[in-house]
Amino acid sequence: QLFWIILYLPVMLLAASIRECEHAEAALQEQRRQLAHVTRVATIGELSGALAHELRQPLTSILANARAGMRLLRDGRLNVQEVQDILEDIVHDNHQAERVIGNLRSFLRNGASHAEPVALDTVVRDALGLARGTIVIAGIDVQTDVAPGLPPVHGDPVQLLQVVLNLVVNSCESMCEV
């Protein structure tokens, strides 16, 4: 019984120390997650003008096509093929605006990171899509050369997008200075 009494205190101290380390690790992980989210929000803040441009483009096109269709109907010049082309343009522009908004929403999501297979060409395309306004404003011509058939990488798609987007934005800022 003396053995258990002598052993009890060190074991309890060790257990308390392990529990404290686990709590500290969990707190550190939460701080990392919050920092990543704040960084994403700051990046979007920097890109807000570019995002407005990216959304304004398809929305302006949708409005112009809708007005053209209304004008055709009002003038009584009902050309079915022309109206069909206008409606197809509206659908295409709507999908473009949805992609911009969807990319923005997934980028801003404040959830836990999760690793999954990610196609790098998709990450590059999405980052360039989000940064297109910044690229245009900077007057930079971007040419991509992503090798076809690259195997997917294992990682968090939002974090990978953030890295590539930061590289693109930083490159635009650097190129503006020269």
Side-chain angles (χ1 to χ4, degrees):
Q1 189 175 23
L2 181 61
F3 172 77
W4 292 114
I5 293 173
I6 293 173
L7 193 59
Y8 177 78
L9 184 59
V11 168
M12 292 308 292
L13 287 173
L14 180 61
S17 177
I18 290 172
R19 232 182 352 264
E20 188 175 319
C21 285
E22 288 172 348
H23 288 292
E25 181 64 31
L28 180 61
Q29 195 67 9
E30 175 62 18
Q31 286 178 343
R32 285 182 184 144
R33 188 189 62 74
Q34 288 177 359
L35 178 61
H37 177 70
V38 168
T39 303
R40 286 194 301 273
V41 170
T43 301
I44 290 301
E46 292 176 17
L47 293 172
S48 60
L51 286 170
H53 172 77
E54 284 303 306
L55 288 173
R56 190 175 300 120
Q57 223 174 347
L59 293 175
T60 301
S61 180
I62 288 169
L63 181 60
N65 279 310
R67 286 182 176 160
M70 289 169 43
R71 190 175 53 252
L72 287 174
L73 292 174
R74 185 178 56 242
D75 294 345
R77 299 179 321 183
L78 187 58
N79 178 333
V80 175
Q81 183 59 49
E82 198 171 357
V83 171
Q84 185 176 352
D85 291 344
I86 288 172
L87 293 174
E88 286 174 2
D89 285 346
I90 289 172
V91 169
H92 174 268
D93 291 331
N94 181 70
H95 288 311
Q96 182 180 349
E98 284 177 346
R99 276 193 303 274
V100 170
I101 291 168
N103 286 343
L104 177 63
R105 287 182 69 178
S106 77
F107 186 73
L108 288 174
R109 192 174 305 124
N110 190 12
S113 65
H114 63 284
E116 61 185 59
V118 180
L120 286 179
D121 60 329
T122 302
V123 173
V124 170
R125 187 178 59 249
D126 290 348
L128 289 173
L130 280 171
R132 186 172 307 132
T134 301
I135 293 166
V136 168
I137 290 168
I140 295 171
D141 178 36
V142 175
Q143 297 176 7
T144 59
D145 185 17
V146 179
L150 286 176
V153 296
H154 195 71
D156 183 300
V158 173
Q159 290 178 354
L160 289 169
L161 177 62
Q162 183 177 0
V163 168
V164 176
L165 185 59
N166 286 340
L167 288 171
V168 170
V169 170
N170 291 343
S171 299
C172 287
E173 290 172 357
S174 296
M175 294 299 291
C176 282
E177 295 174 6
V178 289

